[in-house]
Amino acid sequence: LLAGDILSTDSASPYTLEFLLAQLQRLRDEQIAVYWAGGQQDDPDLWPEQLSLPDNVHTFPVGQTEELRFSRGKEEVAAIVGRSAASSEKLRAAGFAGSKQGIPRIGLASGSIGRKDLDGKGIDYWAFGGLATRQSLKCSTTALYSGAPQGRTPDQHGPFGCELVELDYGQVTHRQLE
């Protein structure tokens, strides 16, 4: 899951874009699906047309919620409900609401949201982007801003990385990988 602001499409160098595409292709080669909810810096509508994303990369629309199903073989194992955000508007969890339907539901978005708004929406795990540092939201379900993989400015220092999350029959475990 990529929860937005992975890179700035306005200022990314050709090397940066090439590096990202190479990593996405490596994931494709390993048959790993990528679900990308763009943020303010990486609005999917502004992705350069001449740079096609590999077919394993699924981007979510800007300003509206879409539900995609992740399958292993012919078995659906998770529903990913995502939304890309091109502005700093506050997210509304109501757009992610749904029933469990026997498979885990993951909410994926970039932006700010009130933690009280997250409860009771039928989401097992909330993955948020838009903050440089890792932050856990206190609510009845697991909700995390995983942070950036590295500091982007000299004043951003300390542990960075990604979040490894496992969903097993509704139980969520996670840990930060620096």
Side-chain angles (χ1 to χ4, degrees), residues 115-133:
R115 68 176 191 239
K116 294 177 190 174
D117 197 28
L118 300 176
D119 294 328
K121 301 298 186 269
I123 299 289
D124 295 290
Y125 168 61
W126 290 97
F128 293 114
L131 295 181
T133 56

Side-chain angles (χ1 to χ4, degrees), residues 19-167:
F19 178 79
L20 176 61
L21 288 172
Q23 301 315 304
L24 295 172
Q25 183 63 43
R26 285 179 63 194
L27 293 169
R28 183 191 184 284
D29 293 346
E30 296 296 324
Q31 300 179 358
I32 297 172
V34 175
Y35 297 90
W36 187 355
Q40 291 184 52
Q41 299 296 313
D42 56 1
D43 177 347
D45 290 344
L46 299 179
W47 184 259
E49 288 181 30
Q50 60 273 31
L51 299 177
S52 298
L53 293 170
D55 60 6
N56 64 315
V57 179
H58 310 280
T59 59
F60 289 94
V62 174
Q64 66 183 21
T65 305
E66 179 181 26
E67 182 173 316
L68 299 173
R69 299 298 179 107
F70 173 72
S71 300
R72 282 200 186 111
K74 295 183 185 224
E75 181 183 3
E76 287 184 345
V77 295
I80 298 130
V81 185
R83 177 185 192 268
S84 291
S87 68
S88 60
E89 70 179 278
K90 189 168 181 153
L91 293 170
R92 303 212 186 303
F96 294 81
S99 63
K100 297 254 185 181
Q101 303 171 349
I103 59 174
R105 289 176 47 85
I106 300 166
L108 175 63
S110 180
S112 65
I113 193 162
R115 68 176 191 239
K116 294 177 190 174
D117 197 28
L118 300 176
D119 294 328
K121 301 298 186 269
I123 299 289
D124 295 290
Y125 168 61
W126 290 97
F128 293 114
L131 295 181
T133 56
R134 182 181 186 275
Q135 181 180 343
S136 178
L137 299 175
K138 304 294 183 206
C139 58
S140 66
T141 187
T142 303
L144 299 170
Y145 284 91
S146 59
Q150 67 183 36
R152 294 185 179 136
T153 61
D155 64 322
Q156 293 179 349
H157 49 79
F160 286 91
C162 64
E163 196 75 23
L164 176 64
V165 178
E166 295 183 56
L167 289 167

